[in-house]
Amino acid sequence: MPDSLRQILAAVAQGQLSVETAYRQLQHLSYEPIGDFARIDHQRQQRTGFPEVIWGHGKTPQQIAEILQRMRPHYPCVMATRISSEVFEAVRSRLGGLHYFEKARICSTAPILPPQFPLPVGLVCAGTADLPVAEEAAVTLQLSGFGVERFWDVGVAGIHRLLSVRDRLEEMAMLIVVAGMEGALPSVVAGLVSVPVIAVPTSIGYGANFGGLAALLTMLNSCAPGIGVVNIDNGFGAAMLAAKILRSLSQRL
């Protein structure tokens, strides 16, 4: 990303940066416009610890490719979420060197690298139909430098599956629990382990599930303490919440 104002001025003073180059960087220090459809927030990583992420749904492949191309020189990894395989192929035809994670529906400018943080985040998924949301959370964390351990298809309909991995859940730094239907899994998990739980309701379920609203309300009304709840199908948001908590703790230890 463009350097901070202090770094730019220091580089000019030391002769490492021309006045013209510094002027161009200062023009886009706050944000960089792209045509008439986007403004890249270059200061987001300085403010929040993570760069801007592209929401892919509703954008054209050309728009996604242009934003990725502009951001790529400034960040180790640029992500775009909710990218179908068809959209990815169209984006890749315009911009090479991209990586695609089909289950997560994420494309990025970098591969998954070994984690930078010691303890993994546990991704607990109720059923196979919830996997796209769970994988969105898992891949977002991995691309952000965190280790992930996956616990798939351990919903409450066969609770012995969950109990068989209980000891391993306790070894995680934090748990992200993804469930649709009635959304009971986060309450059960939070009642079994001592680590924090981030609950993610999904839109998977029959009619009275109301597109995930039933699961959301179940999670918000949980009697088990230590649960935080994000929006329906928001695997990305759950991953960012976990990442911010863990990064903040690591910086203060």
Side-chain angles (χ1 to χ4, degrees), residues 12 23-24 31 35 49 63 99 101 104 109 127 135 146 151 156 166 170 178 200-201 218 232 244:
V12 172
Y23 175 72
R24 288 198 300 270
Y31 64 84
Q63 289 170 338
H99 303 263
F101 306 90
T109 58
E135 276 292 335
F146 294 87
F151 303 90
V156 298
R166 178 180 176 181
E170 281 283 6
V178 182
V200 187
T218 296
I232 299 168
K244 281 194 172 187

Side-chain angles (χ1 to χ4, degrees), residues 63-234:
Q63 289 170 338
I64 295 168
E66 278 198 60
I67 297 170
L68 285 168
Q69 186 173 25
R70 293 286 191 94
M71 293 181 69
R72 181 157 62 178
H74 305 298
Y75 305 91
C77 178
V78 184
M79 289 174 48
T81 65
R82 301 300 168 98
I83 302 293
S84 68
S85 57
E86 294 80 11
V87 169
F88 173 71
E89 291 301 328
V91 172
R92 186 168 62 173
S93 70
R94 294 169 169 81
L95 185 66
L98 299 178
H99 303 263
Y100 185 58
F101 306 90
E102 187 172 7
K103 289 181 181 178
R105 298 169 294 177
I106 288 174
C107 79
S108 72
T109 58
I112 291 173
L113 299 174
Q116 304 168 10
F117 297 86
L119 292 177
V121 177
L123 261 294
V124 184
C125 184
T128 305
D130 302 310
L131 276 176
V133 175
E135 276 292 335
E136 181 180 74
V139 172
T140 297
L141 281 166
Q142 290 178 300
L143 290 172
S144 300
F146 294 87
V148 168
E149 187 161 349
R150 293 165 168 84
F151 303 90
W152 290 167
D153 199 18
V154 292
V156 298
I159 201 166
H160 56 291
R161 300 172 300 183
L162 176 66
L163 296 176
S164 71
V165 297
R166 178 180 176 181
D167 291 343
R168 290 169 61 197
L169 296 180
E170 281 283 6
E171 297 170 0
M172 302 296 108
M174 186 175 298
L175 297 173
I176 295 176
V177 183
V178 182
M181 298 293 185
E182 84 293 343
L185 184 60
S187 292
V188 176
V189 171
L192 292 174
V193 299
S194 61
V195 298
V197 170
I198 299 173
V200 187
T202 74
S203 54
I204 299 301
Y206 294 102
N209 172 265
F210 296 111
L213 184 59
L216 172 64
L217 293 175
T218 296
M219 295 174 187
L220 288 171
N221 286 286
S222 174
C223 64
I227 297 178
V229 186
V230 299
N231 204 353
I232 299 168
D233 291 336
N234 193 6

Side-chain angles (χ1 to χ4, degrees), residues 2-19:
D3 294 328
S4 68
L5 178 59
R6 185 185 298 275
Q7 290 172 316
I8 292 174
L9 293 175
V12 172
Q14 295 167 12
Q16 299 172 349
L17 200 67
S18 71
V19 172

